[in-house]
Amino acid sequence: MPLTLLIVDPDCSAYDALRPNIEAHFAIQMAQNGLDALALLEQTQPDILLIDGNLADQTAYAICQRYKNNNPNGQILFIASTEKADYVAAYGAGADDFISKPFCNDELQQKLLLFQRSIEETQQLRSSVQAATVTAMQAISNSAELGTVISFFKRASLAPDEASLLKALVQTTAKFNVQVAAQIHQQNTLHTLNSQGRCSPLEEHMLQTLAQDPQRIYEMGKRLVINFPRIILQVKDMPVNQPDLCGRLRDHIAILVEAAETRLDGILNETQIRAQQQLTLNAISLIQSSIQKLENEYRHQASSSMLLFSELQDQFEHKMVYLGLTDSQEGALLDMIAHSLAAATQIYDQGLSLDDEFSHVIATLIYLTQQSPQAVIAAAPEPAEPSDDIMLF
C-alpha cells in the first residue's frame, strides 16, 4: 500500500511535471490553502506533508505543529526561502527537511523517496519490535505454564495414593484458569473430583460414560476431554477465542494427565509391594514363633535328657557295688557313661548355636523388609501445597 503525500501549495501546477514520477510511490492529496489543508488533516493522517511556507490564510508553522501533534512519526518537507530565520522557525514547528523555490523536480523527488525509505524502515522496525514483544510475552507465558507442569511432576511423585494424585491433578490444571473435573477408575474403585470440590452424581456418571470412548483427546466446543486408560479429565471452558493459548493449554493438560497415569502405575505397584511386604513380615513372624516354640521344646528335651543321664550315672554308681565288678571294669563303665554325657552336652550346645543362627536370619529379613524403598514412600506424609514459582528464564 503506497504512502500518502499531502501537498499544501497555492501553486499546485508547479507539481504537474513531477506527479507522474511519484504517483507510483505515493497517494497524492492537494490543498491550495491552509483551511483546505486543515480540513484534510481532520480526515486523514498523511505519511508526508509537503508544505509551502508562504500561505495567505494560515501560517504554515501552525499547520506543521498540528500535523506533528497528531502524527509524531509523520515527515514534513518544508518549502522555505533561504532566510535563516525561516529555517529556524520551520525546525521549531517540526520540519524534517527543507527545499527552496523554485525547486528542481529531481531533487524534490529524491527527498520524497528518502522520506519514503525512512518511513518504511521505521514501520518495519516497529513491526519487528511488536513481533519481538509478542514473542517475548509468549515465552514468559510459556515459561510460567511450563513451571506449573514441572511443579505437578514434583507433587505427583510424592502422592502416596490415588486420592492425593487426583487432587494434585485437578488443582494444577485449575491454575490455568479453567474449570476442570477428573476421575480415576481402576478395578472396583472410583475417585472423582472437580475444581470446586466433589463432583455431583451426574458429573461422575458423565465422566464414566466419556471414559468408554476410545479416543485419547477430543474437543466439543469449549470442552476438552483427555482420556487415558485409568484417568479421564474434562476441561469445561477452554479459551477457544485465543487459538495460541488454547493450543498450548491442550498440550500442557495432556502432559499432566499422561504424567498422572504413569504415577498411578507407580502407586499401584507400591501398593502391591506393600501388601507383599506385609505378607512377608507375617510369614517371618510365624517362622520366628515356630522357631521359638521348637527352641523351647528342644531346651526342655535337652534338659530332660541331661537329667536322665545324671540320674542314670548316680544309680549306676550306687548299684555298682552289688555287681561284683573289678575296679577296672567299674572304671570302664563309668568312663562310658561320662563320655555319653559329654556327647549329649555337646549336642545341646550345638543346638543353641543353631538357634542363634536362626535368630540372626530372622532379624536380617525384618530389617531388609522395613528398609525397602516402597516402605519409605508409604511412610512419607502427604506434601504441602507446592509453589509454581519455578524460574525458567
Side-chain angles (χ1 to χ4, degrees):
M1 184 176 182
L3 301 179
T4 55
L5 168 64
L6 173 59
I7 300 175
V8 183
D9 195 323
D11 184 13
C12 292
S13 61
Y15 303 92
D16 291 343
L18 178 66
R19 190 165 187 151
N21 295 332
I22 62 174
E23 281 182 332
H25 304 280
F26 303 101
I28 301 174
Q29 296 175 321
M30 303 288 292
Q32 292 183 304
N33 54 64
L35 289 177
D36 291 343
L38 291 174
L40 287 172
L41 290 177
E42 288 290 334
Q43 302 172 8
T44 62
Q45 288 188 349
D47 299 295
I48 301 173
L49 173 63
L50 173 60
I51 185 168
D52 193 329
N54 296 316
L55 296 179
D57 56 342
Q58 296 285 333
T59 65
Y61 306 113
I63 294 175
C64 289
Q65 288 177 338
R66 185 164 183 175
Y67 171 74
K68 277 291 186 179
N69 289 337
N70 295 332
N71 186 15
N73 297 317
Q75 301 288 313
I76 298 176
L77 180 57
F78 200 89
I79 303 174
S81 65
T82 57
E83 295 293 331
K84 182 178 180 180
D86 293 341
Y87 282 87
V88 172
Y91 269 126
D96 297 283
D97 199 358
F98 306 91
I99 191 170
S100 59
K101 232 177 186 182
F103 49 77
C104 172
N105 285 343
D106 289 341
E107 180 185 4
L108 178 57
Q109 181 177 342
Q110 289 303 316
K111 286 182 178 291
L112 292 175
L113 292 178
L114 284 174
F115 276 173
Q116 178 193 27
R117 188 177 306 121
S118 175
I119 292 172
E120 290 176 347
E121 288 176 353
T122 301
Q123 290 176 343
Q124 290 176 359
L125 180 60
R126 188 179 299 113
S127 177
S128 298
V129 170
Q130 291 175 347
T133 302
V134 171
T135 302
M137 294 303 296
Q138 288 179 347
I140 293 172
S141 298
N142 286 340
S143 297
E145 294 161 6
L146 186 57
T148 301
V149 173
I150 293 175
S151 177
F152 173 74
F153 291 164
K154 178 175 66 176
R155 187 175 178 185
S157 67
L158 299 175
D161 51 39
E162 294 93 329
S164 299
L165 178 63
L166 184 64
K167 180 180 178 181
L169 176 62
V170 170
Q171 289 181 346
T172 301
T173 307
K175 289 179 180 178
F176 293 129
N177 296 318
V178 293
Q179 297 183 29
V180 58
Q183 186 177 85
I184 293 179
H185 48 89
Q186 51 94 21
Q187 295 180 352
N188 296 324
T189 61
L190 189 70
H191 300 276
T192 311
L193 188 68
N194 63 22
S195 46
Q196 286 78 43
R198 292 181 58 85
C199 290
S200 65
L202 177 62
E203 190 170 35
E204 184 175 289
H205 177 72
M206 182 191 65
L207 288 174
Q208 286 181 277
T209 303
L210 291 174
Q212 299 174 8
D213 195 307
Q215 285 184 275
R216 181 60 54 85
I217 301 176
Y218 53 96
E219 297 174 90
M220 302 171 290
K222 291 185 176 182
R223 294 181 180 268
L224 168 69
V225 177
I226 311 292
N227 185 20
F228 275 75
R230 285 165 299 188
I231 299 180
I232 183 170
L233 181 144
Q234 177 186 218
V235 178
K236 306 174 186 178
D237 53 348
M238 289 291 287
V240 293
N241 58 331
Q242 303 177 60
D244 292 340
L245 176 60
C246 189
R248 293 200 312 273
L249 293 187
R250 181 170 55 247
D251 294 340
H252 293 327
I253 294 171
I255 291 172
L256 292 179
V257 180
E258 184 174 6
E261 179 83 11
T262 301
R263 175 56 189 150
L264 181 59
D265 287 336
I267 290 174
L268 296 178
N269 289 335
E270 290 161 12
T271 301
Q272 184 178 6
I273 290 172
R274 283 195 295 269
Q276 292 174 347
Q277 184 184 43
Q278 188 59 49
L279 290 175
T280 302
L281 288 172
N282 293 339
I284 291 174
S285 179
L286 288 174
I287 294 171
Q288 188 177 23
S289 177
S290 298
I291 290 176
Q292 185 66 46
K293 183 178 179 180
L294 289 174
E295 179 185 359
N296 293 335
E297 291 179 358
Y298 175 78
R299 288 177 181 274
H300 176 71
Q301 291 176 1
S303 178
S304 298
S305 297
M306 293 292 293
L307 180 61
L308 181 62
F309 270 108
S310 179
E311 291 176 350
L312 178 62
Q313 185 178 19
D314 290 342
Q315 292 176 5
F316 194 79
E317 289 177 353
H318 181 70
K319 299 291 185 180
M320 190 84 67
V321 295
Y322 302 104
L323 296 178
L325 299 176
T326 64
D327 291 342
S328 61
Q329 289 175 332
E330 289 181 3
L333 287 174
L334 290 174
D335 287 342
M336 290 174 59
I337 294 174
H339 179 75
S340 298
L341 182 60
T345 303
Q346 185 178 6
I347 292 172
Y348 176 74
D349 292 339
Q350 289 176 348
L352 293 179
S353 176
L354 184 62
D355 178 66
D356 291 340
E357 290 294 329
F358 274 117
S359 298
H360 177 70
V361 170
I362 290 173
T364 302
L365 288 174
I366 292 175
Y367 174 79
L368 292 176
T369 305
Q370 292 176 344
Q371 294 302 313
S372 64
Q374 288 74 21
V376 174
I377 293 174
E382 182 175 355
E385 293 295 324
S387 171
D388 289 332
D389 298 332
I390 298 178
M391 300 304 294
L392 300 174
F393 52 90

